[in-house]
PDB file of all heavy atoms in Angstrom:
ATOM      1  N   TRP A 615      -9.207 -33.586 -12.943  1.00 94.00           N
ATOM      2  CA  TRP A 615      -9.820 -32.648 -13.877  1.00 94.00           C
ATOM      3  C   TRP A 615      -9.108 -32.701 -15.225  1.00 94.00           C
ATOM      4  O   TRP A 615      -7.860 -32.738 -15.284  1.00 94.00           O
ATOM      5  CB  TRP A 615      -9.762 -31.228 -13.318  1.00 94.00           C
ATOM      6  CG  TRP A 615     -10.621 -31.079 -12.100  1.00 94.00           C
ATOM      7  CD1 TRP A 615     -11.959 -30.865 -12.064  1.00 94.00           C
ATOM      8  CD2 TRP A 615     -10.187 -31.160 -10.738  1.00 94.00           C
ATOM      9  NE1 TRP A 615     -12.404 -30.806 -10.765  1.00 94.00           N
ATOM     10  CE2 TRP A 615     -11.338 -30.975  -9.925  1.00 94.00           C
ATOM     11  CE3 TRP A 615      -8.958 -31.374 -10.117  1.00 94.00           C
ATOM     12  CZ2 TRP A 615     -11.285 -31.004  -8.544  1.00 94.00           C
ATOM     13  CZ3 TRP A 615      -8.896 -31.400  -8.731  1.00 94.00           C
ATOM     14  CH2 TRP A 615     -10.054 -31.217  -7.949  1.00 94.00           C
ATOM     15  N   GLN A 616      -9.867 -32.688 -16.298  1.00 90.00           N
ATOM     16  CA  GLN A 616      -9.299 -32.834 -17.630  1.00 90.00           C
ATOM     17  C   GLN A 616      -8.710 -31.536 -18.162  1.00 90.00           C
ATOM     18  O   GLN A 616      -7.790 -31.538 -18.971  1.00 90.00           O
ATOM     19  CB  GLN A 616     -10.389 -33.329 -18.604  1.00 90.00           C
ATOM     20  CG  GLN A 616     -10.994 -34.658 -18.216  1.00 90.00           C
ATOM     21  CD  GLN A 616      -9.946 -35.757 -18.115  1.00 90.00           C
ATOM     22  OE1 GLN A 616      -9.153 -35.949 -19.040  1.00 90.00           O
ATOM     23  NE2 GLN A 616      -9.935 -36.477 -17.005  1.00 90.00           N
ATOM     24  N   GLN A 617      -9.241 -30.411 -17.694  1.00 93.00           N
ATOM     25  CA  GLN A 617      -8.794 -29.113 -18.173  1.00 93.00           C
ATOM     26  C   GLN A 617      -7.875 -28.442 -17.145  1.00 93.00           C
ATOM     27  O   GLN A 617      -8.024 -28.650 -15.945  1.00 93.00           O
ATOM     28  CB  GLN A 617      -9.995 -28.192 -18.449  1.00 93.00           C
ATOM     29  CG  GLN A 617     -10.948 -28.724 -19.509  1.00 93.00           C
ATOM     30  CD  GLN A 617     -10.268 -28.854 -20.866  1.00 93.00           C
ATOM     31  OE1 GLN A 617      -9.454 -27.995 -21.242  1.00 93.00           O
ATOM     32  NE2 GLN A 617     -10.585 -29.916 -21.589  1.00 93.00           N
ATOM     33  N   PRO A 618      -6.908 -27.643 -17.615  1.00 94.00           N
ATOM     34  CA  PRO A 618      -6.029 -26.936 -16.677  1.00 94.00           C
ATOM     35  C   PRO A 618      -6.793 -25.865 -15.914  1.00 94.00           C
ATOM     36  O   PRO A 618      -7.835 -25.372 -16.358  1.00 94.00           O
ATOM     37  CB  PRO A 618      -4.959 -26.316 -17.579  1.00 94.00           C
ATOM     38  CG  PRO A 618      -5.625 -26.171 -18.910  1.00 94.00           C
ATOM     39  CD  PRO A 618      -6.565 -27.340 -19.024  1.00 94.00           C
ATOM     40  N   GLY A 619      -6.268 -25.481 -14.759  1.00 93.00           N
ATOM     41  CA  GLY A 619      -6.876 -24.434 -13.961  1.00 93.00           C
ATOM     42  C   GLY A 619      -6.733 -23.070 -14.619  1.00 93.00           C
ATOM     43  O   GLY A 619      -5.983 -22.889 -15.589  1.00 93.00           O
ATOM     44  N   ARG A 620      -7.438 -22.111 -14.068  1.00 94.00           N
ATOM     45  CA  ARG A 620      -7.499 -20.771 -14.658  1.00 94.00           C
ATOM     46  C   ARG A 620      -6.116 -20.137 -14.770  1.00 94.00           C
ATOM     47  O   ARG A 620      -5.834 -19.391 -15.713  1.00 94.00           O
ATOM     48  CB  ARG A 620      -8.411 -19.900 -13.792  1.00 94.00           C
ATOM     49  CG  ARG A 620      -8.561 -18.469 -14.259  1.00 94.00           C
ATOM     50  CD  ARG A 620      -9.553 -17.732 -13.374  1.00 94.00           C
ATOM     51  NE  ARG A 620      -9.689 -16.330 -13.769  1.00 94.00           N
ATOM     52  CZ  ARG A 620     -10.489 -15.466 -13.154  1.00 94.00           C
ATOM     53  NH1 ARG A 620     -11.229 -15.869 -12.131  1.00 94.00           N
ATOM     54  NH2 ARG A 620     -10.567 -14.212 -13.558  1.00 94.00           N
ATOM     55  N   TYR A 621      -5.227 -20.440 -13.837  1.00 96.00           N
ATOM     56  CA  TYR A 621      -3.912 -19.785 -13.814  1.00 96.00           C
ATOM     57  C   TYR A 621      -2.776 -20.767 -14.099  1.00 96.00           C
ATOM     58  O   TYR A 621      -1.617 -20.468 -13.814  1.00 96.00           O
ATOM     59  CB  TYR A 621      -3.699 -19.108 -12.447  1.00 96.00           C
ATOM     60  CG  TYR A 621      -4.704 -18.021 -12.167  1.00 96.00           C
ATOM     61  CD1 TYR A 621      -5.818 -18.274 -11.367  1.00 96.00           C
ATOM     62  CD2 TYR A 621      -4.555 -16.758 -12.720  1.00 96.00           C
ATOM     63  CE1 TYR A 621      -6.751 -17.285 -11.112  1.00 96.00           C
ATOM     64  CE2 TYR A 621      -5.485 -15.756 -12.468  1.00 96.00           C
ATOM     65  CZ  TYR A 621      -6.583 -16.025 -11.674  1.00 96.00           C
ATOM     66  OH  TYR A 621      -7.493 -15.036 -11.432  1.00 96.00           O
ATOM     67  N   ASP A 622      -3.119 -21.904 -14.657  1.00 95.00           N
ATOM     68  CA  ASP A 622      -2.108 -22.936 -14.904  1.00 95.00           C
ATOM     69  C   ASP A 622      -0.968 -22.441 -15.783  1.00 95.00           C
ATOM     70  O   ASP A 622       0.198 -22.816 -15.589  1.00 95.00           O
ATOM     71  CB  ASP A 622      -2.787 -24.152 -15.543  1.00 95.00           C
ATOM     72  CG  ASP A 622      -1.805 -25.281 -15.798  1.00 95.00           C
ATOM     73  OD1 ASP A 622      -1.403 -25.946 -14.823  1.00 95.00           O
ATOM     74  OD2 ASP A 622      -1.411 -25.473 -16.972  1.00 95.00           O
ATOM     75  N   LYS A 623      -1.280 -21.587 -16.747  1.00 95.00           N
ATOM     76  CA  LYS A 623      -0.265 -21.087 -17.682  1.00 95.00           C
ATOM     77  C   LYS A 623       0.901 -20.442 -16.953  1.00 95.00           C
ATOM     78  O   LYS A 623       2.057 -20.537 -17.396  1.00 95.00           O
ATOM     79  CB  LYS A 623      -0.914 -20.088 -18.642  1.00 95.00           C
ATOM     80  CG  LYS A 623       0.044 -19.383 -19.578  1.00 95.00           C
ATOM     81  CD  LYS A 623      -0.692 -18.369 -20.449  1.00 95.00           C
ATOM     82  CE  LYS A 623       0.283 -17.580 -21.318  1.00 95.00           C
ATOM     83  NZ  LYS A 623      -0.419 -16.563 -22.151  1.00 95.00           N
TER      84      LYS A 623
END
Side-chain angles (χ1 to χ4, degrees):
W615 293 278
Q616 300 302 309
Q617 299 297 321
R620 179 176 178 180
Y621 298 99
D622 181 74
K623 174 182 176 181

